[in-house]
Amino acid sequence: YNCLIRDNYAPARGGGINESVAYNSTITGNTVLLHGSDNVDWSTLCNCIIWNGNDSVPFQPNIYTYSCSLYSGAGTGNITSNPQFVGAADFRLQAVSPCIDIGLNDSWMTDPSDIRSKDLDGNERIAPEGGIVDMGAYEYGSVPSYSTSSCSLSSISSLSSSLSSSLSSVSSSSLSSLSSLSSLSSSS
């Protein structure tokens, strides 16, 4: 669920996944040497984007439901259009993506206690404005929900100096405590 599977290699059958089940995932940039699809082979996919732009034909058939792939063809809700990723290494969706608000909703997607209800960036799987899940690992407009505050080299050096000082004072006081204990035990 909600995975980005990219840039993998397999000698045969499914460079991304083989004989697997995937939901709301983006599978791209994978390669295989022989006998199979670069991205997916003999797998079941729902609300997924499987895209290299030149993916090879699967060796064993896949089952696609509400997914975007050159080979999704027959099946409910599938499309074969370019998903329109934001960039070559950013697999979020552009505003013009045909994968927005076209997936298959499921009850776990709106359950806040279910970790699968979040996209790969940690945002709601079903955006309130559309009410329909997007295909792929990211909801349209998704941004990382974690803090990306910057850390400068000087702040790291300062922190390192503080820690060193703290450890030195702990070590000094520990040594003097040990010396006191040692002198107590020798006098008994």
Side-chain angles (χ1 to χ4, degrees), residues 95-149:
V96 296
S97 173
C99 300
I100 297 171
D101 293 339
I102 194 171
L104 177 65
N105 288 357
D106 204 335
S107 60
W108 57 264
M109 295 175 181
T110 56
D111 180 355
S113 67
D114 192 328
I115 194 165
R116 299 172 301 171
S117 68
K118 307 288 186 203
D119 73 2
L120 197 55
D121 276 334
N123 297 298
E124 297 301 318
R125 194 65 253 200
I126 298 177
E129 57 277 355
I132 299 173
V133 69
D134 297 342
M135 292 176 178
Y138 302 97
E139 285 298 305
Y140 169 67
S142 182
V143 293
S145 61
Y146 50 85
S147 171
T148 56
S149 59

XYZ file of all heavy atoms in Angstrom, residues 95-149:
408
model
N -1.165 19.039 -12.070
C -2.597 19.381 -12.109
C -3.297 18.802 -13.335
O -4.494 18.542 -13.300
C -2.773 20.904 -12.078
N -2.561 18.560 -14.414
C -3.155 18.040 -15.654
C -3.168 16.510 -15.717
O -3.575 15.931 -16.721
C -2.415 18.592 -16.904
C -2.570 20.101 -16.988
C -0.946 18.181 -16.895
N -2.762 15.844 -14.650
C -2.681 14.384 -14.658
C -4.055 13.738 -14.812
O -5.009 14.101 -14.116
C -2.042 13.879 -13.363
O -2.109 12.463 -13.314
N -4.152 12.721 -15.694
C -5.402 11.986 -15.835
C -5.648 11.025 -14.673
O -6.704 10.397 -14.586
C -5.216 11.214 -17.146
C -3.737 11.005 -17.230
C -3.132 12.246 -16.631
N -4.687 10.914 -13.737
C -4.775 9.975 -12.609
C -5.428 10.590 -11.365
O -5.595 9.909 -10.356
C -3.383 9.462 -12.258
S -2.584 8.586 -13.618
N -5.812 11.863 -11.451
C -6.409 12.564 -10.308
C -7.905 12.266 -10.221
O -8.614 12.325 -11.224
C -6.171 14.087 -10.421
C -4.671 14.386 -10.374
C -6.914 14.845 -9.331
C -4.314 15.822 -10.694
N -8.360 11.960 -8.996
C -9.797 11.725 -8.718
C -10.428 10.690 -9.647
O -11.557 10.840 -10.090
C -10.591 13.041 -8.817
C -10.225 14.027 -7.729
O -9.679 13.594 -6.695
O -10.459 15.228 -7.918
N -9.711 9.594 -9.896
C -10.225 8.584 -10.820
C -10.042 7.159 -10.289
O -10.341 6.190 -10.946
C -9.570 8.763 -12.212
C -10.304 7.984 -13.268
C -8.109 8.422 -12.169
C -9.855 8.275 -14.680
N -9.527 7.029 -9.057
C -9.290 5.707 -8.481
C -10.552 5.109 -7.877
O -11.654 5.635 -8.024
N -10.370 3.999 -7.206
C -11.469 3.285 -6.557
C -11.350 3.483 -5.045
O -10.386 3.034 -4.430
C -11.398 1.794 -6.903
C -12.429 0.883 -6.246
C -13.837 1.230 -6.726
C -12.116 -0.578 -6.554
N -12.326 4.177 -4.451
C -12.316 4.402 -2.996
C -12.569 3.100 -2.251
O -13.301 2.232 -2.726
C -13.389 5.413 -2.598
C -13.048 6.821 -3.024
O -11.990 7.092 -3.577
N -13.955 7.746 -2.766
N -11.975 2.995 -1.062
C -12.186 1.855 -0.189
C -12.328 2.397 1.240
O -11.789 3.458 1.556
C -10.995 0.898 -0.286
C -11.349 -0.525 0.110
O -12.314 -0.717 0.882
O -10.659 -1.453 -0.329
N -13.009 1.678 2.109
C -13.312 2.185 3.457
C -12.053 2.483 4.278
O -12.041 3.423 5.070
C -14.208 1.206 4.210
O -13.561 -0.050 4.322
N -10.982 1.729 4.123
C -9.763 1.970 4.909
C -9.142 3.325 4.592
O -8.389 3.863 5.388
C -8.734 0.856 4.724
C -8.298 0.580 3.317
C -8.802 -0.389 2.494
C -7.290 1.258 2.568
N -8.160 -0.345 1.276
C -7.226 0.654 1.293
C -6.432 2.318 2.843
C -6.345 1.070 0.304
C -5.551 2.730 1.848
C -5.511 2.110 0.595
N -9.463 3.899 3.451
C -8.859 5.164 3.029
C -9.310 6.361 3.859
O -8.647 7.397 3.860
C -9.156 5.424 1.557
C -8.525 4.418 0.643
S -9.048 4.702 -1.045
C -8.189 3.398 -1.873
N -10.430 6.224 4.554
C -10.941 7.335 5.372
C -10.874 7.033 6.874
O -11.367 7.799 7.676
C -12.398 7.676 4.982
O -13.189 6.497 5.108
C -12.468 8.206 3.558
N -10.261 5.927 7.240
C -10.131 5.542 8.647
C -8.832 6.118 9.203
O -7.746 5.626 8.882
C -10.138 4.020 8.756
C -10.002 3.520 10.183
O -9.795 4.350 11.105
O -10.095 2.299 10.386
N -8.897 7.166 10.039
C -7.671 7.806 10.540
C -6.777 6.877 11.356
O -5.585 7.132 11.494
C -8.174 8.978 11.381
C -9.628 8.773 11.568
C -10.102 7.775 10.557
N -7.334 5.791 11.888
C -6.513 4.861 12.666
C -5.779 3.855 11.762
O -4.951 3.095 12.241
C -7.373 4.119 13.687
O -8.284 3.258 13.021
N -6.083 3.860 10.478
C -5.464 2.935 9.523
C -4.313 3.652 8.806
O -4.543 4.622 8.086
C -6.502 2.450 8.513
C -6.014 1.274 7.685
O -4.794 1.191 7.404
O -6.857 0.446 7.299
N -3.093 3.183 9.009
C -1.927 3.838 8.415
C -2.019 3.896 6.888
O -1.457 4.780 6.256
C -0.617 3.162 8.877
C 0.572 4.034 8.533
C -0.484 1.773 8.269
C 1.839 3.644 9.237
N -2.766 3.000 6.274
C -2.911 2.999 4.819
C -3.731 4.181 4.321
O -3.743 4.481 3.140
C -3.573 1.700 4.347
C -2.789 0.450 4.689
C -3.574 -0.801 4.377
N -4.826 -0.819 5.124
C -5.803 -1.685 4.935
N -5.705 -2.621 4.023
N -6.905 -1.646 5.665
N -4.421 4.891 5.232
C -5.265 6.022 4.829
C -4.445 7.265 4.486
O -5.000 8.289 4.121
C -6.283 6.349 5.921
O -5.635 6.879 7.068
N -3.135 7.172 4.596
C -2.230 8.281 4.258
C -1.448 7.932 2.995
O -1.081 6.783 2.788
C -1.231 8.537 5.389
C -1.858 8.745 6.744
C -2.537 10.069 6.838
C -3.015 10.298 8.268
N -4.079 11.242 8.347
N -1.177 8.949 2.176
C -0.345 8.707 0.999
C 1.119 8.624 1.430
O 1.429 8.686 2.627
C -0.590 9.752 -0.096
C -0.022 11.132 0.211
O 0.612 11.338 1.272
O -0.216 12.027 -0.616
N 2.018 8.477 0.481
C 3.428 8.293 0.805
C 4.036 9.494 1.519
O 5.004 9.361 2.261
C 4.215 7.977 -0.475
C 5.585 7.363 -0.289
C 5.543 6.100 0.552
C 6.215 7.052 -1.633
N 3.448 10.671 1.342
C 3.917 11.864 2.050
C 3.257 12.012 3.421
O 3.552 12.950 4.154
C 3.616 13.131 1.234
C 4.685 13.413 0.201
O 5.834 12.984 0.396
O 4.369 14.077 -0.803
N 2.334 11.127 3.776
C 1.659 11.196 5.068
C 0.402 12.048 5.058
O -0.147 12.370 6.104
N -0.090 12.410 3.877
C -1.309 13.213 3.754
C -2.520 12.318 3.506
O -2.378 11.163 3.126
C -1.148 14.218 2.601
C -0.017 15.184 2.886
O -0.049 15.931 3.847
N 1.014 15.138 2.059
N -3.714 12.889 3.728
C -4.955 12.125 3.558
C -4.997 11.452 2.195
O -4.682 12.059 1.185
C -6.175 13.029 3.714
C -6.308 13.655 5.094
C -6.420 12.632 6.201
O -7.135 11.624 6.037
O -5.774 12.835 7.244
N -5.407 10.195 2.176
C -5.478 9.432 0.930
C -6.591 9.964 0.021
O -6.453 10.000 -1.187
C -5.724 7.953 1.278
C -5.500 6.964 0.186
C -4.055 6.896 -0.235
N -3.912 7.519 -1.527
C -2.912 7.320 -2.367
N -1.939 6.540 -2.040
N -2.852 7.930 -3.499
N -7.685 10.383 0.606
C -8.774 10.963 -0.182
C -8.859 12.437 0.183
O -9.218 12.797 1.297
C -10.115 10.250 0.080
C -10.005 8.783 -0.347
C -11.247 10.948 -0.663
C -11.231 7.953 -0.076
N -8.494 13.282 -0.775
C -8.509 14.731 -0.537
C -9.957 15.210 -0.411
O -10.813 14.808 -1.192
C -7.805 15.448 -1.686
N -10.235 16.074 0.580
C -11.602 16.544 0.809
C -12.240 17.218 -0.413
O -13.426 17.077 -0.643
C -11.461 17.549 1.952
C -10.158 17.259 2.586
C -9.294 16.630 1.540
N -11.430 17.917 -1.221
C -12.020 18.647 -2.347
C -12.516 17.727 -3.463
O -13.451 18.053 -4.148
C -11.068 19.711 -2.911
C -9.723 19.230 -3.377
C -8.685 19.086 -2.269
O -8.937 19.440 -1.118
O -7.597 18.570 -2.586
N -11.890 16.573 -3.676
C -12.314 15.689 -4.761
C -13.205 14.555 -4.288
O -14.152 14.163 -4.962
N -12.870 14.013 -3.141
C -13.659 12.913 -2.589
C -13.408 11.572 -3.261
O -14.000 10.581 -2.907
N -12.492 11.535 -4.238
C -12.148 10.288 -4.915
C -10.623 10.151 -4.871
O -9.892 11.091 -5.155
C -12.638 10.273 -6.379
C -14.157 10.412 -6.424
C -12.205 8.984 -7.088
C -14.726 10.579 -7.817
N -10.168 8.971 -4.527
C -8.737 8.719 -4.409
C -8.059 8.857 -5.781
O -8.651 8.562 -6.820
C -8.478 7.326 -3.798
C -8.872 6.211 -4.750
C -7.053 7.172 -3.345
N -6.822 9.337 -5.759
C -6.016 9.407 -6.973
C -5.300 8.070 -7.168
O -5.087 7.325 -6.218
C -4.952 10.505 -6.863
C -5.553 11.891 -6.715
O -6.749 12.075 -7.026
O -4.818 12.795 -6.276
N -4.893 7.802 -8.395
C -4.049 6.643 -8.673
C -2.621 6.980 -8.246
O -2.212 8.131 -8.296
C -4.051 6.322 -10.169
C -5.367 5.832 -10.692
S -5.247 5.620 -12.496
C -6.882 4.982 -12.828
N -1.870 5.979 -7.830
C -0.472 6.171 -7.487
C -0.230 6.358 -6.001
O -1.150 6.314 -5.178
N 1.037 6.587 -5.653
C 1.463 6.671 -4.257
C 1.169 8.012 -3.600
O 1.189 8.124 -2.382
C 2.964 6.377 -4.168
N 0.912 9.055 -4.414
C 0.707 10.399 -3.881
C -0.632 10.967 -4.343
O -0.986 10.862 -5.506
C 1.807 11.354 -4.387
C 3.201 10.936 -4.052
C 3.977 10.255 -4.982
C 3.756 11.234 -2.816
C 5.286 9.880 -4.688
C 5.063 10.862 -2.513
C 5.815 10.183 -3.455
O 7.098 9.813 -3.165
N -1.331 11.625 -3.427
C -2.522 12.387 -3.809
C -2.059 13.679 -4.469
O -1.028 14.237 -4.085
C -3.377 12.720 -2.580
C -4.161 11.548 -2.037
C -5.175 10.995 -3.021
O -6.029 11.755 -3.524
O -5.116 9.786 -3.289
N -2.834 14.155 -5.437
C -2.483 15.406 -6.111
C -2.352 16.529 -5.079
O -3.164 16.666 -4.179
C -3.522 15.805 -7.159
C -3.304 17.207 -7.658
C -2.185 17.522 -8.409
C -4.182 18.224 -7.320
C -1.940 18.815 -8.821
C -3.959 19.530 -7.738
C -2.833 19.812 -8.488
O -2.593 21.095 -8.892
N -1.313 17.329 -5.216
C -1.066 18.448 -4.305
C -0.380 18.015 -3.026
O -0.165 18.816 -2.127
N -0.030 16.749 -2.944
C 0.611 16.207 -1.753
C 1.975 16.848 -1.526
O 2.738 17.068 -2.451
C 0.782 14.693 -1.931
O 1.354 14.119 -0.806
N 2.217 17.180 -0.287
C 3.524 17.680 0.133
C 3.925 16.910 1.382
O 3.061 16.461 2.125
C 3.518 19.203 0.427
C 3.289 19.998 -0.835
C 2.491 19.550 1.469
N 5.197 16.757 1.621
C 5.603 16.027 2.825
C 4.991 16.647 4.080
O 5.000 17.861 4.244
C 7.128 16.168 2.833
C 7.493 16.419 1.406
C 6.333 17.196 0.834
N 4.430 15.824 4.967
C 3.807 16.332 6.184
C 4.800 16.398 7.338
O 4.478 16.865 8.399
C 2.617 15.461 6.577
O 3.048 14.142 6.825
N 6.016 15.936 7.120
C 7.039 16.005 8.155
C 7.841 17.285 7.993
O 7.869 17.891 6.941
C 7.961 14.781 8.092
C 8.498 14.511 6.705
C 9.638 15.151 6.237
C 7.837 13.629 5.848
C 10.115 14.926 4.970
C 8.313 13.409 4.567
C 9.454 14.053 4.137
O 9.918 13.827 2.865
N 8.508 17.697 9.054
C 9.284 18.931 9.026
C 10.566 18.736 8.215
O 11.247 17.744 8.360
C 9.660 19.335 10.455
O 10.569 20.400 10.424
N 10.832 19.707 7.367
C 12.053 19.645 6.574
C 12.944 20.842 6.918
O 13.545 21.433 6.050
C 11.732 19.644 5.070
O 10.949 20.808 4.783
C 10.997 18.398 4.659
N 12.989 21.206 8.210
C 13.785 22.373 8.613
C 15.251 22.129 8.280
O 15.753 21.020 8.360
C 13.613 22.642 10.103
O 14.011 21.528 10.844
